[in-house]
Amino acid sequence: FTKNYYFLVAGSVFNSKYTTYAGKEYSTKFNRNYQVNIVGGKEWKTGKNRNRIIGLNGKLLASGALRDSPIDLAASQQQGKAVYVPGKYYSVKSDPYYRLDIGISYKINRKHATHTASFDIQNVTNHQNIYGSWYDNDKGKIKKEYQMGLFPIFNYRIEF
């Protein structure tokens, strides 16, 4: 935290796999292969005693895609439930994941307590990150499930 700025860059490269009792190795659902987080912000001191702080911040998350197991549509329709293609577990990669969050805060530092009001918007671009797919027996189709889109959060905190 220098001159009222802060930033952090963190990343990981990984490979997440499991081995069956038969000795076959497969990727796990969460084998994204990489993860990058970039966080930063700026604060301004205001007020007569410089005890009020306005802050702006942002966070960018990016990673490889979640993996999914392919569903055999014809077999699923015939059996009335999801039937996965044998030997192809978690072999399908969706689009890479990314999310941009932004926020603003207002803090008042007092002798016995600090009051903070903040407003954050997670996934400000409303990017539709895929979570997985499932078989809908009522419609006889494979449907995709998405993670949360744009999500506003208002927060008020008192620290003493």
Side-chain angles (χ1 to χ4, degrees):
F1 196 76
T2 303
K3 296 183 181 178
N4 297 326
Y5 286 98
Y6 68 93
F7 71 92
L8 171 72
V9 178
S12 297
V13 177
F14 57 91
N15 199 9
S16 176
K17 296 190 177 248
Y18 70 96
T19 305
T20 66
Y21 288 118
K24 292 196 175 193
E25 188 175 78
Y26 297 99
S27 287
T28 68
K29 179 176 185 72
F30 303 101
N31 190 12
R32 295 178 182 259
N33 299 119
Y34 68 92
Q35 174 82 29
V36 177
N37 297 311
I38 302 169
V39 179
K42 166 89 171 129
E43 291 184 348
W44 294 270
K45 292 183 179 183
T46 65
K48 185 169 62 173
N49 297 325
R50 311 228 354 121
N51 66 338
R52 298 170 190 264
I53 300 170
I54 297 171
L56 290 174
N57 61 72
K59 177 170 56 173
L60 176 65
L61 296 89
S63 68
L66 284 174
R67 294 177 182 256
D68 207 357
S69 297
I71 298 171
D72 184 332
L73 182 59
S76 297
Q77 290 170 333
Q78 188 177 30
Q79 293 186 30
K81 64 180 184 177
V83 177
Y84 296 95
V85 177
K88 299 285 185 182
Y89 308 112
Y90 301 116
S91 62
V92 177
K93 289 176 80 173
S94 57
D95 293 333
Y97 177 98
Y98 75 86
R99 188 178 96 197
L100 176 63
D101 302 342
I102 60 170
I104 186 168
S105 63
Y106 182 69
K107 184 185 294 188
I108 301 172
N109 291 316
R110 294 208 170 134
K111 188 174 183 176
H112 297 290
T114 298
H115 300 261
T116 306
S118 64
F119 181 67
D120 297 313
I121 301 175
Q122 293 184 351
N123 196 4
V124 72
T125 62
N126 200 28
H127 184 256
Q128 297 298 299
N129 292 301
I130 190 136
Y131 182 72
S133 57
W134 55 282
Y135 176 68
D136 183 345
N137 191 40
D138 293 335
K139 298 193 174 157
K141 293 181 179 180
I142 297 171
K143 293 197 168 183
K144 291 184 178 186
E145 186 173 357
Y146 294 89
Q147 295 183 23
M148 182 176 53
L150 184 137
F151 190 72
I153 300 170
F154 178 75
N155 183 42
Y156 181 76
R157 180 175 62 209
I158 301 173
E159 298 173 276
F160 51 92

